[in-house]
Amino acid sequence: MKRLGSRLVQKIGPILLRLMILRLKGRSDAQVERLGERFGSLLWKFGGRRRERTLQNLQLAFPDRDSAWYEKTAR
């Protein structure tokens, strides 16, 4: 059985994405980039297992890189 949080994200995620797209229309590239960085930071903070999986996948794909590179790329 899926966790409640996972089901909730699946249901409201697409709605939030549409709202975000509407909110970004007409904004400058710099504004869009700043908002994207903020949104990405929130996702990173609350990403949990997905964040860990992303880091693991980067380590598998690029074994010669250092941990700072993995973190920066994943963010």
Side-chain angles (χ1 to χ4, degrees):
M1 186 155 104
K2 288 188 177 185
R3 293 180 20 224
L4 176 61
S6 178
R7 287 190 305 227
L8 185 61
V9 167
Q10 287 180 355
K11 294 214 181 259
I12 67 168
I15 295 168
L16 291 175
L17 181 60
R18 283 188 214 112
L19 289 172
M20 182 185 246
I21 290 169
L22 287 173
R23 179 109 168 108
L24 295 176
K25 284 187 176 182
R27 304 269 179 155
S28 71
D29 289 347
Q31 289 174 316
V32 171
E33 189 168 332
R34 278 194 308 273
L35 288 169
E37 286 173 357
R38 289 181 192 153
F39 186 65
S41 292
L42 274 175
L43 291 177
W44 183 257
K45 183 176 181 178
F46 296 107
R49 291 188 308 192
R50 291 182 179 169
R51 178 180 56 237
E52 294 305 316
R53 175 161 295 162
T54 299
L55 290 169
Q56 290 170 357
N57 286 339
L58 285 169
Q59 290 168 0
L60 286 171
F62 304 98
D64 58 330
R65 303 295 179 131
D66 62 15
S67 60
W69 183 87
Y70 298 133
E71 179 97 7
K72 182 179 178 186
T73 303
R75 283 178 178 264

